[in-house]
Amino acid sequence: MLTIVSWNIQYGKGVDGRIDLYRIADVVQQDGLPDVLCLQEVSRNDPETANGSDQVSELQKLFPDYEIFYGASQDRSGGKDGGRRQFGNLILTRRSPLQVLHHILPSPADPKARFMSRQTTEMLLSTGTGTLRLMNTHLEFFSEKQQLAQVQRIRELHEEACAQSREAGLDFPNTPFARIERSEKMLICGDFNFVPESASYQLITSAFAEGVPDLLDAWNVVNPENDRSPTCGIFDHKQWKNGPHCRDYFFLSQNLSPQIHQVSVNTETAASDHQPIRITLEE
């Protein structure tokens, strides 16, 4: 089995206002350590979000048996002690990846919205049935225009990888031109900042051209008749005045969907304004 957990940890800030990465680690460990842990909203040296701490280094200490791969969506000067001031997404994995790619997502001009730069990290993993492209992301909240552009870019990355898988380039082993084949099997997780009724949700799950596997909502594959568990707004009613609802998902390619064993949400923890979500895949 391959277990993946995704969680927007809000830089460790719980609903009680306390920033505590030890509490985040405790929740993950109590639920059962996954093979891969995908986190969103991880801060480095930023005095405005996490008292200037380097949360990447802190999380490495809390999960010493994991390799870490940080995708900074923001990279600025002015960090604590002269360090780079960064904010982004982090993947911790107990399976060494074959390749890691960091993609900055588009932010088309939208003068009426506040926004931040967004990115997705793509990781190629070996599994018992071949390879899997795992992507960890966090999309724009305040600008639907930018969010839709980011969803479209994710779809383009999926199309690109599938084309490269079918028509691989020339291989020059032991050089920077060595070929690493991107799998047609793909799973993307994170805080997408949209609800199931939104245009963005409809776009990410819309059909691709022939030959490209469609992206499915893993929850609906496993629980087609069950109400969806909320992933935010359960405890934090200040930020989420509309109450409990869903913004965090696993979307996966149709050719990977038969391998889903379980999808679940931890609805008990208030260690962040979002809830950790978990998927287990058969290998």
Side-chain angles (χ1 to χ4, degrees):
M1 295 287 186
L2 174 66
T3 303
I4 301 166
V5 168
S6 175
W7 194 4
N8 181 336
I9 63 169
Q10 192 179 222
Y11 51 91
K13 183 179 178 181
V15 175
D16 58 5
R18 181 163 56 92
I19 298 173
D20 189 347
L21 291 182
Y22 289 91
R23 178 167 57 182
I24 295 292
D26 284 343
V27 171
V28 174
Q29 291 165 3
Q30 289 170 12
D31 287 349
L33 286 171
D35 298 293
V36 185
L37 176 60
C38 295
L39 303 177
Q40 303 89 47
E41 293 200 32
V42 177
S43 177
R44 300 189 83 174
N45 309 317
D46 189 344
E48 301 300 323
T49 55
N51 303 319
S53 63
D54 182 349
Q55 295 192 322
V56 174
S57 297
E58 292 180 5
L59 286 162
Q60 177 69 91
K61 293 176 183 177
L62 291 170
F63 295 94
D65 297 329
Y66 288 73
E67 288 186 79
I68 60 173
F69 298 88
Y70 186 59
S73 57
Q74 293 183 3
D75 188 352
R76 301 171 176 173
S77 61
K80 185 178 180 181
D81 298 327
R84 300 299 302 175
R85 181 176 178 173
Q86 297 177 321
F87 195 73
N89 307 316
L90 181 68
I91 300 181
L92 303 95
T93 175
R94 293 198 284 191
R95 299 193 181 190
S96 290
L98 301 173
Q99 177 172 267
V100 177
L101 302 172
H102 300 288
H103 308 283
I104 292 294
L105 298 175
S107 296
D110 190 350
K112 295 184 179 180
R114 58 173 172 161
F115 62 91
M116 68 172 72
S117 178
R118 305 285 177 164
Q119 70 90 234
T120 184
T121 294
E122 173 185 332
M123 178 175 288
L124 186 65
L125 296 171
S126 291
T127 71
T129 55
T131 57
L132 164 68
R133 272 183 301 117
L134 171 65
M135 300 176 74
N136 179 30
T137 197
H138 183 198
L139 302 189
E140 182 52 50
F141 176 81
F142 293 103
S143 171
E144 183 183 43
K145 178 181 180 181
Q146 292 185 358
Q147 187 183 92
L148 285 166
Q150 291 161 8
V151 171
Q152 181 58 38
R153 180 60 182 143
I154 288 167
R155 288 173 58 85
E156 290 168 357
L157 289 169
H158 181 47
E159 291 172 325
E160 175 185 284
C162 290
Q164 289 180 358
S165 178
R166 294 190 303 270
E167 301 178 275
L170 300 178
D171 189 19
F172 286 78
N174 304 314
T175 77
F177 295 94
R179 185 175 67 211
I180 306 294
E181 296 186 12
R182 293 166 76 188
S183 175
E184 289 190 334
K185 289 186 175 182
M186 173 238 199
L187 183 147
I188 183 166
C189 63
D191 175 6
F192 291 81
N193 268 323
F194 56 64
V195 296
E197 300 79 22
S198 67
S200 294
Y201 182 97
Q202 297 304 314
L203 178 59
I204 200 169
T205 55
S206 62
F208 285 90
E210 186 176 356
V212 179
D214 292 341
L215 297 179
L216 308 178
D217 182 340
W219 179 274
N220 290 342
V221 174
V222 176
N223 306 290
E225 298 179 1
N226 292 350
D227 291 338
R228 184 185 295 274
S229 293
T231 68
C232 63
I234 298 177
F235 303 101
D236 187 343
H237 306 298
K238 183 177 180 180
Q239 292 188 94
W240 305 111
K241 293 181 173 55
N242 50 346
H245 62 288
C246 183
R247 293 181 181 271
D248 307 81
Y249 307 88
F250 292 107
F251 295 105
L252 76 172
S253 56
Q254 193 168 14
N255 54 359
L256 186 60
S257 63
Q259 295 174 229
I260 302 175
H261 176 71
Q262 187 178 31
V263 181
S264 61
V265 181
N266 177 334
T267 57
E268 302 300 319
T269 180
S272 170
D273 64 327
H274 286 251
Q275 311 303 126
I277 61 176
R278 176 181 293 254
I279 190 169
T280 304
L281 300 173
E282 295 179 356
E283 296 185 85

